[in-house]
Amino acid sequence: MRWSLAVLVSVVALGASSPAGAATCGAGGYSYAGLAAPTHAFGIGATVTPLAAFSISTGHVAGWVGVGGPGEGPNGTDEWIQVGYNAIGGIGGPNLYYEVTRAGGQPTYHQIAANLQIGQAKRVAVLEMHARQNWWRVWVNGRPVTAPINLPGSHDRWSPIATAESWDGGGGSVCNAFLYRFQRVSIAHAPGGSWAPLAHGTTIGTGSALVKRNPASSSFIAAQGAEAKRTLAAFTR
């Protein structure tokens, strides 16, 4: 569930909108709304909350934190790890999941919990392990939920991302709707921890997705879809 990092960190005019009912997704049918760290780090965490029911025509929506991406592994291979909420059209949700792509391999999806409540917050993180370069774990509410995961060549190479995401299923249809809150977005300045708020992050805004930031608390709300954007407009900073 990831697109080109170059697309993700493109800053777009957040005031732009499409005609009602004709929202345009980004490249490849993906749209994103979030923050990208300006420097390399050893992990990222955030408290993520799905704030409203999703509207999914086809494809999926997600709200996640992660590192890596297409072409960011050894010798230009795809490699990443992410964790967060998602919902897939016709299957239910929101679900708590993590996804791993090892260098040269295919993405593998792992469900942690299914059909959770709208409004339920989870603290999620990916973190490189102390004294074990290139080995990572996924964390939920302060506890590891995976065994150590080896991602070759990842040590001190990746800039973390916290973002909401929609994919239209590849058919060029109307973008799916979502509304997520990300609170206390933090990055790890050393393997195993040394957490600090994500400061000076680059706003991610592609397609029809919007971001409303609160820099003072390293938090933001991400929205896509007419109803979600109306709700977003009602939130104060």
Side-chain angles (χ1 to χ4, degrees), residues 37 39-45 66-67 81 125-137 139 154-160 186-195:
T39 60
H40 293 176
F42 303 91
I44 183 168
V67 292
I81 184 169
V126 297
L127 179 64
E128 188 177 18
M129 299 175 67
H130 176 68
R132 293 191 69 181
Q133 291 187 7
N134 304 316
W135 289 85
W136 296 74
R137 298 188 84 171
W139 295 72
S154 61
H155 177 70
D156 198 19
R157 288 193 57 223
W158 291 338
S159 299
S186 303
I187 57 175
H189 290 282
S194 188
W195 293 95

Side-chain angles (χ1 to χ4, degrees), residues 142-187:
R143 295 185 176 185
V145 296
T146 66
I149 298 168
N150 183 223
L151 297 175
S154 61
H155 177 70
D156 198 19
R157 288 193 57 223
W158 291 338
S159 299
I161 291 171
T163 189
E165 170 189 300
S166 169
W167 179 53
D168 69 3
S173 61
V174 173
C175 290
N176 299 313
F178 59 71
L179 185 65
Y180 286 101
R181 178 189 283 130
F182 290 72
Q183 295 172 290
R184 296 186 297 116
V185 183
S186 303
I187 57 175

Side-chain angles (χ1 to χ4, degrees), residues 11-12 31 110 113 147 157 190-191 204-205 217:
V11 180
V12 300
S31 53
H110 306 267
R157 288 193 57 223
I204 300 164
S217 61

Side-chain angles (χ1 to χ4, degrees), residues 11-146:
V11 180
V12 300
L14 298 183
S17 62
S18 301
T24 302
C25 293
Y30 282 84
S31 53
Y32 295 91
L35 293 179
T39 60
H40 293 176
F42 303 91
I44 183 168
T47 301
V48 183
T49 309
L51 293 176
F54 307 108
S55 176
I56 304 174
S57 298
T58 58
H60 68 250
V61 297
W64 52 265
V65 300
V67 292
E72 295 193 31
N75 301 314
T77 55
D78 296 346
E79 189 171 69
W80 67 77
I81 184 169
Q82 62 184 229
V83 60
Y85 276 105
N86 82 333
I88 301 171
I91 300 180
N95 310 306
L96 198 63
Y97 81 101
Y98 71 94
E99 183 178 286
V100 177
T101 298
R102 294 177 173 85
Q106 295 296 314
T108 58
Y109 173 89
H110 306 267
Q111 188 164 281
I112 301 169
N115 297 320
L116 300 177
Q117 295 294 314
I118 297 294
Q120 184 172 359
K122 295 286 186 182
R123 184 73 185 174
V124 296
V126 297
L127 179 64
E128 188 177 18
M129 299 175 67
H130 176 68
R132 293 191 69 181
Q133 291 187 7
N134 304 316
W135 289 85
W136 296 74
R137 298 188 84 171
V138 172
W139 295 72
V140 176
N141 289 346
R143 295 185 176 185
V145 296
T146 66

